[in-house]
Amino acid sequence: MKNSILITITTLKGSKQYTITQLIKKFIIIFVIFSILFFVATFMFISYLNGVIEKKNQALKQTNKEIELVLNQKNKLQNKLQILENNISNLENIIKQKEKLVSEVNDKLDDIERIMQFEPPKNTTLVDRVDLAKIDIVDKKFVLENIPNGYPVPFIGISSPFGWRIHPIKYTKEFHPGLDLRAKMNTPVRATADGIVEYARYHRRSGYGRLLIIDHNFGFKTLFGHLNKIIVKSGDFVKKGQIVAYTGNTGLSNGPHLHYEVRYIGMVLNPYHFVKWNLKDYNYIFKKEKKVKWQSLIKAIQWQKTLMQQQ
């Protein structure tokens, strides 16, 4: 061919001749094929990278969501922790208040036990001490409801004590079986224990004037003399503290006052010991009044209380 360069290539297998034009065509073909392969490979690599990047982005989004969820959980936990801390603080304050209250209860219980002259067994819990004190107080109040105690009128003085004296009107030496309590006219007179009215009218022979006799449990009786008015009748049941009469100056009396007696199975007892007897000084009567067999009497009262509770 004109204007063509002939190139001869010799090998062990023989010789081949090529023109420059053929080489250029082959080169172009190889270049085109390589370019196509390179483009395809590049496209596939870019697609692969895009896929990887997409997965990374999705993973990053998921991670961000998880981080956000964790942060939300953390905030919730912090809020719960704050609430728990507030609750703990409130509980600590409540515990302190309860401890203070228990201490006050313990102090008051000590005072009650000292007043009641009651000593609980050693190592007794506070709850048991309260129960024992409650039982002890209930028992003592039951005794005080059934046996005369306390003043029948507000105390403003004693005009004549129990025992031998010169009678203020007869001027003879006589035994005074009661206690004359100073009182203004028409002062309310109250029953000193539960009982039944035995006598409620004027009594001429004794000089007591208008006389009220109340029959109490376990052999006790109380007498109220020189009354101006009696507001209960024979057979009436009266409660401790109930108004039963009004003071006066009837019978052999030199002025308004209340003549008050306490009797036990026919014996006259010193009313002074009974008017001084109360819940605060519960053991006072047992030390002062020796005519009554208190031990067996208290057992009988407790036995009666038990029977009443079983009914």
Side-chain angles (χ1 to χ4, degrees):
M1 298 179 69
K2 293 181 178 181
N3 299 326
S4 298
I5 298 173
L6 182 63
I7 298 174
T8 302
I9 298 173
T10 303
T11 63
L12 294 175
K13 294 181 179 181
S15 298
K16 290 185 178 181
Q17 292 181 344
Y18 300 94
T19 62
I20 292 298
T21 304
Q22 291 175 330
L23 287 172
I24 290 172
K25 287 181 179 179
K26 287 184 177 181
F27 177 76
I28 290 171
I29 291 169
I30 291 170
F31 178 76
V32 170
I33 292 170
F34 177 78
S35 296
I36 293 171
L37 291 174
F38 178 77
F39 177 76
V40 171
T42 301
F43 177 77
M44 291 177 67
F45 182 69
I46 291 172
S47 297
Y48 170 75
L49 289 178
N50 286 333
V52 171
I53 291 171
E54 183 65 25
K55 289 181 179 179
K56 294 292 185 181
N57 287 335
Q58 290 179 355
L60 183 61
K61 289 180 180 179
Q62 183 65 29
T63 302
N64 289 335
K65 287 182 180 180
E66 291 176 354
I67 291 172
E68 186 177 355
L69 182 62
V70 169
L71 290 174
N72 290 334
Q73 292 293 334
K74 179 183 177 182
N75 291 333
K76 290 180 180 179
L77 288 173
Q78 285 179 338
N79 291 334
K80 289 182 178 179
L81 181 61
Q82 185 64 42
I83 292 172
L84 286 174
E85 288 177 350
N86 292 336
N87 290 338
I88 290 172
S89 178
N90 292 334
L91 287 173
E92 288 177 347
N93 292 331
I94 291 172
I95 289 172
K96 288 180 181 178
Q97 291 176 358
K98 295 295 183 183
E99 288 176 345
K100 183 180 179 181
L101 181 61
V102 168
S103 178
E104 291 176 354
V105 170
N106 190 62
D107 292 340
K108 289 181 179 179
L109 193 56
D110 287 339
D111 293 337
I112 291 172
E113 289 172 348
R114 186 168 54 254
I115 291 171
M116 299 300 298
Q117 300 178 6
F118 171 74
E119 184 176 353
K122 293 182 179 179
N123 301 322
T124 304
T125 64
L126 183 61
V127 174
D128 290 338
R129 286 177 62 194
V130 171
D131 290 339
L132 289 171
K134 189 189 299 181
I135 292 170
D136 191 60
I137 290 174
V138 169
D139 287 344
K140 290 177 179 178
K141 287 186 69 175
F142 186 79
V143 171
L144 293 173
E145 286 173 355
N146 285 275
I147 300 178
N149 63 93
Y151 286 95
V153 292
F155 180 72
I156 57 175
I158 297 172
S159 58
S160 183
F162 175 84
W164 290 96
R165 69 168 184 174
I166 302 298
H167 195 282
I169 296 177
K170 296 179 181 179
Y171 300 105
T172 57
K173 187 176 182 180
E174 293 181 357
F175 184 80
H176 187 224
L179 196 66
D180 286 349
L181 297 169
R182 297 183 187 276
K184 295 181 180 180
M185 195 73 173
N186 290 320
T187 298
V189 178
R190 298 179 185 274
T192 52
D194 296 352
I196 296 176
V197 177
E198 178 184 304
Y199 188 92
R201 59 181 182 273
Y202 204 96
H203 196 276
R204 298 184 183 278
R205 290 180 298 171
S206 63
Y208 287 156
R210 286 192 177 88
L211 175 66
L212 172 65
I213 301 175
I214 300 177
D215 190 4
H216 306 284
N217 288 328
F218 310 106
F220 286 91
K221 289 184 181 183
T222 49
L223 285 77
F224 307 84
H226 308 304
L227 300 170
N228 183 50
K229 184 179 180 181
I230 300 173
I231 60 175
V232 292
K233 298 178 181 179
S234 297
D236 287 350
F237 175 77
V238 296
K239 292 286 292 179
K240 176 178 171 60
Q242 178 181 335
I243 296 175
V244 291
Y246 292 90
T247 57
N249 190 31
T250 58
L252 289 177
S253 172
N254 60 352
H257 70 282
L258 175 67
H259 175 82
Y260 177 61
E261 293 184 21
V262 177
R263 297 183 181 183
Y264 175 65
I265 54 174
M267 295 185 295
V268 290
L269 305 178
N270 189 345
Y272 182 78
H273 300 322
F274 289 86
V275 297
K276 296 287 288 183
W277 186 28
N278 53 43
L279 186 62
K280 185 176 180 180
D281 198 4
Y282 182 77
N283 291 329
Y284 173 85
I285 195 71
F286 309 132
K287 299 174 184 177
K288 294 294 184 179
E289 184 52 70
K290 303 298 183 180
K291 293 181 181 180
V292 180
K293 295 182 178 179
W294 292 109
Q295 188 173 2
S296 60
L297 180 61
I298 297 300
K299 286 182 180 179
I301 294 174
Q302 291 174 341
W303 178 71
Q304 185 191 61
K305 177 173 173 288
T306 302
L307 289 178
M308 293 174 62
Q309 291 175 338
Q310 291 174 351
Q311 292 177 356

